[in-house]
Amino acid sequence: MTLTADQTRQRAQHQYNASLELCPARQLLEAISSKWVALVMLALEEGPQRHSELRRRIPGASQKMLTSTLRTLDRDGLIGREVTPSVPVRTDYELTPLGRSLLPIIFAMKAWAEDNMHAVAVSRQEHDGDRASVPTGQ
């Protein structure tokens, strides 16, 4: 039986399993779960921005890390890059429709982190306190 392109694509999607080590979906999950990816995408949610604007909006991101993250997002089709010939050359980055489709998930993770940070901080403190009270050698 011959399958249409859409049927072939759907069949392939059912075979992805991010729990398997070599699955492409696992590699994508690892890529999009980076803190830098989330921060870049949150910054780009407000519209196209230049590299320098993104660096100002994302404290702690080195030029190298930001460049690497932007290249990965561009390669994965989550952002687009528009180069305007000028002196100096102007490059703007913006979310693609595929990238915008990921935003609700990133917003939900951000909200969860903000809503639960106190409980996590308490748990960390209790855990670290328990470890500090265990005598060495056990």
Side-chain angles (χ1 to χ4, degrees), residues 6-24:
D6 189 49
Q7 289 170 326
T8 302
R9 196 170 26 259
Q10 287 178 357
R11 190 171 277 182
Q13 285 177 338
H14 291 296
Q15 294 174 357
Y16 291 140
N17 181 344
S19 297
L20 300 176
E21 184 177 2
L22 299 177
C23 180

Side-chain angles (χ1 to χ4, degrees), residues 32-104:
I32 63 175
S33 60
S34 152
K35 76 174 178 181
W36 299 116
V37 166
L39 293 172
V40 166
M41 293 194 60
L42 288 169
L44 289 175
E45 189 268 337
E46 296 178 14
Q49 293 180 52
R50 298 173 77 179
H51 191 283
S52 58
E53 293 170 315
L54 290 168
R55 277 209 55 211
R56 279 193 296 276
R57 298 205 50 197
I58 306 171
S62 69
Q63 182 170 345
K64 182 179 178 182
M65 180 55 68
L66 184 55
T67 298
S68 173
T69 301
L70 290 168
R71 284 182 181 154
T72 299
L73 290 171
D74 185 30
R75 179 176 182 249
D76 290 344
L78 299 175
I79 66 169
R81 197 176 162 260
E82 184 177 333
V83 178
T84 305
S86 60
V87 178
V89 174
R90 177 184 173 107
T91 305
D92 291 286
Y93 300 90
E94 65 181 317
L95 293 172
T96 63
L98 183 61
R100 287 205 169 277
S101 74
L102 183 57
L103 278 178

Side-chain angles (χ1 to χ4, degrees), residues 83-131:
V83 178
T84 305
S86 60
V87 178
V89 174
R90 177 184 173 107
T91 305
D92 291 286
Y93 300 90
E94 65 181 317
L95 293 172
T96 63
L98 183 61
R100 287 205 169 277
S101 74
L102 183 57
L103 278 178
I105 297 164
I106 292 174
F107 282 131
M109 287 175 39
K110 178 181 178 283
W112 184 92
E114 292 168 350
D115 292 346
N116 292 285
M117 191 58 238
H118 178 73
V120 170
V122 168
S123 179
R124 286 176 179 175
Q125 187 174 17
E126 288 172 358
H127 180 270
D128 294 348
D130 288 347
R131 289 182 149 239

